[in-house]
Amino acid sequence: MKRIIAMFLSTMLILMMSAFAFAAVDSDEYEVVITAPEEDEPLALVNEDDKFFVTGYIMANDDDIIEWIELRIGNETLAFDEDDDEFDDIIGEWDDDKFSFKFVVSPDDFDIEDDEDGEYDFQVSADVNTDKDSNIEQELTSDEKTIDMEFDHTADYALWITSPDDGDDIMTDSWGKDVTIKGWIQADEGDMLESLRIEIEHLDGDADEVINIIDASDDSVMMSNEKFEFEADWDLSEEGDFEITVFARIDVDEDVDDEVLRDEVTVEVIYDEDYDDDEDEDDDDKDEAMDNHPAAPAIANKLLKDWGYANRYRGTNLISEVAKFMGPNTDFDGESKLDAEDYEDAIEAFLKDRIDELDDMDVPAAPGNSANKGNGKDKDKGK
């Protein structure tokens, strides 16, 4: 008897859960909602080839079938049904009573040219097939927005390394620990981030390393109006001064050259077996110098930025030259880093002399380096 009662209760529980699941979206709750672009913000585009997103969701149940979906802008329509190859890229997985959708389009798909600014009616419609209720065979739903489209927009392209900070020391008490390199990329909505790599150059050694985050067209990421954040683990293996450079290649469109972005920081990796116990006194005389006084490459990097120069000037890596000129215990031209003022003066004098020498040489700037600051001869060099 107890077994029969238990089976009855289990059956009732399953039926109740099923009924609850089926009731998640009722017949009058089917709808399409466009979430982007926004009605109150102009859709700023470069030209008629500039891609943008139209995104949103369809309120429906898990076992419903989205038979077709279409996007109409003005008098033109893009329609896709479940048999089209692109359909799975547009309709996402069901989640929380919703099927998401994402159209990737350009004005050229709708015969809109870049001299045709103005307001346009956007409408997304979908056909939902359900057999849960004999009275509901299909639900035709749609949503509509009026969007202001503006052309000749100029995107703000930027790449920044946010961690580690430029000139900072990285302390470790054991090799094999990771340091996370972080940053972000800003590009125009619809641009493709085709490659992203991190180059780590050991300025006084041979431990150069390349970390590819995106290195093939199949891995390309379409940019949105949010910043693209990246991070990668750097496996620490030895001491020294390092230059970390991040490169990104952005495919804007077919008629515009790719946008190549870069940012760089210089850091010093220091091994200190007492690092975890540095709150207590230890016998490592190096601690004070390394903890409180940056090494020559970090100071050189700061000076060059203050003067408006890139680290690579007329084909020469000035930071690398500073690192190679350092003496024992990171002394520079006989000056100890503990004597901060004299140490910086020695580095400043070295840099000015090298820049003057390079300016006097008949050497063209390195290929692809035209965007670097300091390619002319009229800089003040801190004077």
Side-chain angles (χ1 to χ4, degrees):
M1 186 66 180
K2 290 182 178 178
R3 182 178 296 177
I4 294 173
I5 294 174
M7 291 177 61
F8 174 77
L9 292 175
S10 298
T11 302
M12 292 299 296
L13 180 60
I14 292 172
L15 290 173
M16 290 173 62
M17 292 178 64
S18 300
F20 178 76
F22 287 154
V25 175
D26 291 330
S27 60
D28 59 347
E29 294 177 332
Y30 285 86
E31 65 175 333
V32 171
V33 176
I34 302 172
T35 58
E38 297 290 343
E39 283 183 303
D40 55 353
E41 295 183 8
L43 180 57
L45 303 170
V46 175
N47 53 41
E48 66 267 23
D49 296 319
D50 194 11
K51 295 180 176 63
F52 61 92
F53 298 107
V54 178
T55 63
Y57 59 85
I58 304 166
M59 290 292 297
N61 290 298
D62 185 14
D63 52 355
D64 289 337
I65 298 173
I66 312 299
E67 293 202 329
W68 56 260
I69 187 169
E70 66 180 29
L71 167 64
R72 179 181 61 79
I73 301 179
N75 297 319
E76 300 290 332
T77 300
L78 287 181
F80 303 90
D81 63 39
E82 57 182 328
D83 295 325
D84 293 334
D85 293 338
E86 302 95 330
F87 191 78
D88 289 341
D89 295 330
I90 297 171
I91 300 293
E93 297 292 330
W94 182 85
D95 183 39
D96 192 25
D97 299 342
K98 301 179 182 70
F99 288 91
S100 63
F101 65 80
K102 179 176 74 173
F103 290 91
V104 181
V105 294
S106 70
D108 189 50
D109 295 327
F110 298 90
D111 296 329
I112 300 172
E113 299 182 358
D114 57 12
D115 59 352
E116 298 176 353
D117 292 359
E119 293 186 341
Y120 291 84
D121 291 331
F122 282 54
Q123 184 181 66
V124 175
S125 303
D127 190 26
V128 182
N129 189 349
T130 174
D131 59 2
K132 294 191 306 294
D133 188 326
S134 59
N135 296 322
I136 307 174
E137 293 185 356
Q138 290 183 334
E139 286 290 334
L140 183 62
T141 61
S142 66
D143 188 22
E144 187 167 344
K145 284 187 173 184
T146 300
I147 306 299
D148 184 17
M149 296 174 66
E150 296 181 355
F151 293 94
D152 297 326
H153 165 70
T154 301
D156 294 326
Y157 291 94
L159 184 155
W160 286 97
I161 300 172
T162 58
S163 178
D165 288 335
D166 196 26
D168 271 6
D169 292 342
I170 297 174
M171 306 289 293
T172 184
D173 64 342
S174 63
W175 298 121
K177 287 190 174 180
D178 288 337
V179 167
T180 302
I181 301 171
K182 297 182 179 181
W184 54 260
I185 299 168
Q186 177 71 56
D188 204 14
E189 187 168 11
D191 288 344
M192 298 298 295
L193 174 57
E194 290 193 329
S195 66
L196 176 61
R197 76 180 188 275
I198 300 174
E199 294 184 1
I200 304 170
E201 181 184 0
H202 194 173
L203 298 178
D204 44 6
D206 299 319
D208 294 355
E209 182 178 352
V210 176
I211 302 172
N212 284 309
I213 299 177
I214 299 173
D215 63 352
S217 58
D218 292 342
D219 297 329
S220 296
V221 174
M222 180 166 287
M223 304 295 289
S224 69
N225 54 6
E226 301 292 333
K227 292 183 175 68
F228 176 83
E229 297 181 351
F230 63 85
E231 64 178 60
D233 289 332
W234 174 24
D235 185 8
L236 298 181
S237 59
E238 60 182 306
E239 288 185 291
D241 295 285
F242 294 82
E243 184 176 81
I244 302 171
T245 308
V246 179
F247 297 90
R249 178 176 290 275
I250 308 292
D251 183 6
V252 179
D253 61 47
E254 295 180 356
D255 299 324
V256 179
D257 291 340
D258 289 353
E259 190 81 25
V260 179
L261 309 175
R262 64 175 286 169
D263 190 28
E264 59 194 27
V265 298
T266 302
V267 297
E268 182 177 8
V269 175
I270 302 166
Y271 176 79
D272 176 8
E273 62 184 5
D274 303 308
Y275 174 57
D276 283 348
D277 301 318
D278 273 347
E279 291 183 1
D280 301 324
E281 292 186 3
D282 57 53
D283 296 329
D284 190 353
D285 293 332
K286 190 179 179 182
D287 283 355
E288 180 187 357
M290 296 306 184
D291 287 348
N292 301 318
H293 300 276
I299 293 174
N301 185 66
K302 179 180 181 299
L303 288 170
L304 290 171
K305 284 190 174 182
D306 289 345
W307 298 343
Y309 283 77
N311 292 346
R312 186 175 296 276
Y313 180 68
R314 295 180 66 80
T316 297
N317 189 326
L318 295 172
I319 298 295
S320 181
E321 289 204 347
V322 167
K324 291 174 182 177
F325 193 74
M326 284 194 301
N329 299 318
T330 67
D331 288 355
F332 194 86
D333 200 16
E335 300 293 344
S336 168
K337 66 188 296 183
L338 290 174
D339 300 321
E341 186 174 346
D342 292 340
Y343 192 68
E344 182 171 334
D345 287 345
I347 298 166
E348 182 175 330
F350 175 85
L351 287 173
K352 289 178 178 179
D353 287 344
R354 284 299 291 132
I355 291 172
D356 286 340
E357 290 172 3
L358 292 170
D359 283 341
D360 291 338
M361 295 172 62
D362 187 19
V363 178
N369 209 33
S370 60
N372 284 353
K373 298 177 182 177
N375 279 339
K377 297 185 180 182
D378 57 348
K379 298 294 182 180
D380 190 17
K381 288 183 288 189
K383 296 179 182 178

